[in-house]
């Protein structure tokens, strides 16, 4: 690669990632407001984040809503992905477009629509309303992940299982699901992160009693520069980083084990040749 392009890519990466790594030192700041560089270091912001009900309750709400979003999203994305990949039916293109709409429509427009519609159904300020709304925005990514995995799936293993007398459900439980488990895990992980990180829709429909962590962070910035928000931001950043690590770890381990087995299969050894 051209050295200039390499330096430019590195500069862009630093520019994009720098704010994330500035937040972490700020979360340990001893200042009474958001200040960088920190005048001193303390764990007071983290203690307040994990002990103050104004922060712990939104955190618990976000976890509950995130878990509910995972179950609802996968319950809808799995059959939708199987239908899109394995069946040809009238309106399949339109069906796929409708699933992908949340990636196209501005979030503020969707939030206003959910507020008007869920208000008539009395789902505003409820766990169910936020879970349904977050499931809609998580559906496109989950469907893309699952359809990509299904397109590379060898259906002959399913046909072999059914030829031995297994039902469709048994085949899915014992054959299809174990093979596609990484795709299901990644789809669920992205659904949880999308829900946990979402703020705009939560501002419209979560209400004060079901406020999520991003909503509380927004309120903290609007009302006063509470330094606890830096601890909450660091927590979100580390959560996303952990999710990406969980996603990449199996691939890294498989690749490493493949490199380890390859010399053994070729009859080679890892010892260096003796010097003559």
């Amino acid at each position: 690669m051209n050295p200039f392009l390499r330096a430019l890519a590195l500069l862009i990466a630093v520019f994009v990632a720098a704010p994330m790594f500035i937040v972490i030192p700020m979360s340990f700041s001893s200042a009474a407001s958001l200040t960088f560089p920190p005048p001193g270091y303390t764990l007071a912001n983290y203690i307040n984040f994990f002990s103050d009900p104004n922060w712990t309750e939104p955190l618990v709400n976000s976890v509950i809503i995130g878990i509910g979003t995972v179950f609802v999203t996968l319950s809808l994305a799995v059959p939708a992905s199987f239908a899109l990949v394995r069946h040809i039916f009238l309106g399949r293109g339109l069906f796929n477009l409708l699933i992908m709409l949340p990636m196209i429509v501005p979030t503020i427009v969707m939030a206003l629509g959910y507020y008007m519609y869920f208000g008539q159904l009395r789902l505003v300020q409820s766990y169910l309303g936020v879970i349904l709304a977050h499931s809609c925005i998580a559906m496109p990514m989950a469907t893309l992940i699952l359809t990509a995995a299904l397109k590379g799936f060898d259906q002959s293993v399913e046909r072999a299982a059914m030829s031995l007398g297994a039902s469709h459900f048994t085949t899915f439980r014992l054959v299809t699901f174990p093979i596609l488990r990484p795709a299901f895990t990644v789809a669920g992980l992205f659904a949880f992160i999308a829900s946990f990180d979402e703020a705009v829709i939560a501002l419209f429909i979560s209400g004060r009693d079901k406020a999520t962590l991003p909503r509380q962070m927004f309120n903290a910035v609007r009302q006063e520069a509470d330094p606890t928000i830096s601890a909450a931001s660091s927590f979100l950043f580390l959560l996303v980083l952990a999710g990406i690590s969980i996603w990449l770890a199996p691939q890294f381990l498989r690749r490493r084990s493949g490199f380890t087995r390859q010399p053994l299969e070729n009859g080679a050894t890892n010892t260096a040749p003796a010097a003559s």
Side-chain angles (χ1 to χ4, degrees), residues 101-182:
L101 270 182
M103 297 184 67
I104 305 171
V105 179
T107 308
I108 187 68
V109 176
M110 296 179 58
L112 181 59
Y114 290 138
Y115 177 76
M116 300 294 293
Y117 182 63
F118 287 170
Q120 297 178 358
L121 299 177
R122 297 186 178 181
L123 291 177
V124 175
Q125 302 187 26
S126 67
Y127 283 129
L128 181 59
V130 183
I131 288 172
L132 292 177
H134 284 183
S135 298
C136 290
I137 65 174
M139 269 287 292
M141 183 59 68
T143 304
L144 287 174
I145 294 171
L146 294 175
T147 51
L150 283 171
K151 289 178 180 178
F153 181 77
D154 185 7
Q155 298 185 44
S156 62
V157 293
E158 292 181 327
R159 290 192 289 268
M162 287 186 286
S163 68
L164 296 175
S167 63
H168 288 281
F169 177 75
T170 303
T171 301
F172 176 82
R173 182 172 60 89
L174 298 179
V175 178
T176 308
F177 179 75
I179 296 176
L180 297 178
R181 185 183 289 112

